[in-house]
Amino acid sequence: MIYPAADLSLPIALAVAFFLLVGAALALIGAIGFLRLPTFYERLHAPALGTSWGIGGIMLASMIYFSVASSRLVIHEVLIGIFVTVTTPVTFMLLARAALHRDRTARSHGVPRKYPIGPEERPREDDEPQA
Amino acid sequence: MLPYPILAGFLTLMWMLLTSFTLGNLILGALVAVFASWAMASLRPDKPKLKKWYLLPKLFFIVLYDVALSNIAVAWLILRGRKKGRRAGFLTIPLEIKDRTALTLLAIILTSTPGSVWLEYDSYDGSILMHVLDLDEEEQWIATIKNRYEKLLMEIFA
């Protein structure tokens, strides 16, 4: 049985509101940054706000609220946090490496290139140095 | 029978978190976990060599703290704009860790930290290419990653 939100005690309500607002604010700032930052690589940083403490804050608020309101420990939100944290690097790296590949192929300035050729054709240690 | 006892344990725990903590769900969850770890074993992943597993909580709290700080820094930067003379840029950092699980953990840490993105890992010379939002602290980024995370990860996965 879940009690209505109005019956929560003040400290609990304040804690829930605090974490919820922190999480929502970080997600909003991340979205603003996504719009405002000038280059692709800089824009990659903005959603990290939402996927780190953005989701963390909302998760904590949900855990506190439902644990108190249903008077039992509700912590399965942790799973959402874990799965988001573990899977975001996959997306980020996929996007980042696609951008790197595109920029290197286009010989854009400012993108670091270690070798003038692709990774498959790099010189090996045991090869003769090329003249 | 159990090729990955820790994985099976966590799967059972996850099953019970998603359903309820009763004996029936414990048995059902354990059955699912055993079959899932057999499936995992047939994929033959690298077995991570955990040496000092008790340092994992320490790493967790360090990361939680650092992520909170950089959340504030990046949120400020987005709202107030960049300070004069500050710029974003690429950073190449040579790494000593070779263990795949440790590298995965480092990638997760760097990606979750706003202000730093892991772009690619070069297995040829063991270096990573990152992009940081505030290159002014270049030395600080390198010091943080080398001393704060890499040392701890090398101790955990020896």
Side-chain angles (χ1 to χ4, degrees), chain A residues 26 29-30 32-34 36-39 41-42 44-46 48-54 75-76 78-79 83 85-86 88-89 92-93 96-97 100 104 110-112 114-115 122-125, chain B residues 14 17-19 63-65 67-72 74-82 88 90 92 107-108 111-122 124-125 127 129 131-133:
Chain A
L26 282 172
I29 294 170
I32 294 171
F34 203 59
R36 283 186 57 181
L37 290 172
T39 66
Y41 300 103
E42 283 171 77
L44 270 181
H45 297 282
L49 284 175
T51 58
S52 56
W53 271 100
I75 49 167
H76 59 254
V78 171
L79 292 175
F83 286 131
T85 313
V86 170
T88 38
F92 273 129
M93 269 185 232
R97 297 197 62 173
L100 274 179
R104 282 174 179 163
V111 178
K114 274 188 192 161
Y115 302 91
R122 282 177 197 175
R124 296 172 71 94
E125 262 165 8
Chain B
M14 188 181 119
L17 275 172
L18 286 172
T19 53
V63 169
L64 216 60
Y65 176 72
V67 168
L69 283 190
S70 55
N71 259 297
I72 298 169
V74 171
W76 199 247
L77 193 148
I78 289 172
L79 291 178
R80 302 301 301 270
R82 215 176 279 280
F90 294 93
T92 310
I108 293 173
T111 317
S112 330
T113 313
S116 67
V117 173
W118 167 300
L119 295 181
E120 63 176 5
Y121 174 68
D122 189 342
Y124 178 66
D125 57 5
S127 69
L129 179 67
H131 188 267
V132 292
L133 206 47

Side-chain angles (χ1 to χ4, degrees), chain B residues 17-157:
Chain B
L17 275 172
L18 286 172
T19 53
S20 62
F21 285 86
T22 55
L23 185 62
N25 273 322
L26 174 67
I27 295 167
L28 194 56
L31 272 175
V32 171
V34 167
F35 279 106
S37 41
W38 287 351
M40 183 78 176
S42 66
L43 293 173
R44 294 173 217 278
D46 292 345
K47 261 206 163 172
K49 294 177 207 71
L50 272 177
K51 200 173 150 206
K52 296 183 176 171
W53 56 270
Y54 51 85
L55 286 173
L56 276 173
K58 185 184 168 193
L59 178 73
F60 177 76
F61 285 109
I62 287 179
V63 169
L64 216 60
Y65 176 72
D66 287 355
V67 168
L69 283 190
S70 55
N71 259 297
I72 298 169
V74 171
W76 199 247
L77 193 148
I78 289 172
L79 291 178
R80 302 301 301 270
R82 215 176 279 280
K83 278 185 206 153
K84 261 197 175 170
R86 296 278 181 105
R87 61 201 171 81
F90 294 93
L91 203 57
T92 310
I93 299 178
L95 287 183
E96 282 158 55
I97 34 178
K98 295 268 180 270
D99 187 272
R100 282 189 184 181
T101 322
L103 281 170
T104 312
L105 261 181
L106 188 64
I108 293 173
I109 292 170
L110 290 183
T111 317
S112 330
T113 313
S116 67
V117 173
W118 167 300
L119 295 181
E120 63 176 5
Y121 174 68
D122 189 342
S123 54
Y124 178 66
D125 57 5
S127 69
I128 52 170
L129 179 67
M130 316 175 28
H131 188 267
V132 292
L133 206 47
D134 201 344
L135 198 61
D136 207 43
E137 300 158 11
E138 187 175 347
E139 296 299 314
Q140 204 189 322
W141 275 113
I142 297 179
T144 312
I145 290 162
K146 295 293 286 183
N147 300 329
R148 220 165 146 89
Y149 302 140
E150 195 186 13
K151 261 190 195 155
L152 206 53
L153 280 169
M154 284 181 88
E155 269 186 73
I156 295 170
F157 299 94

Side-chain angles (χ1 to χ4, degrees), chain A residues 61-73:
Chain A
S62 166
M63 274 158 53
I64 297 171
Y65 174 71
F66 283 104
S67 292
V68 174
S70 61
S71 358
R72 65 187 179 90
L73 199 60

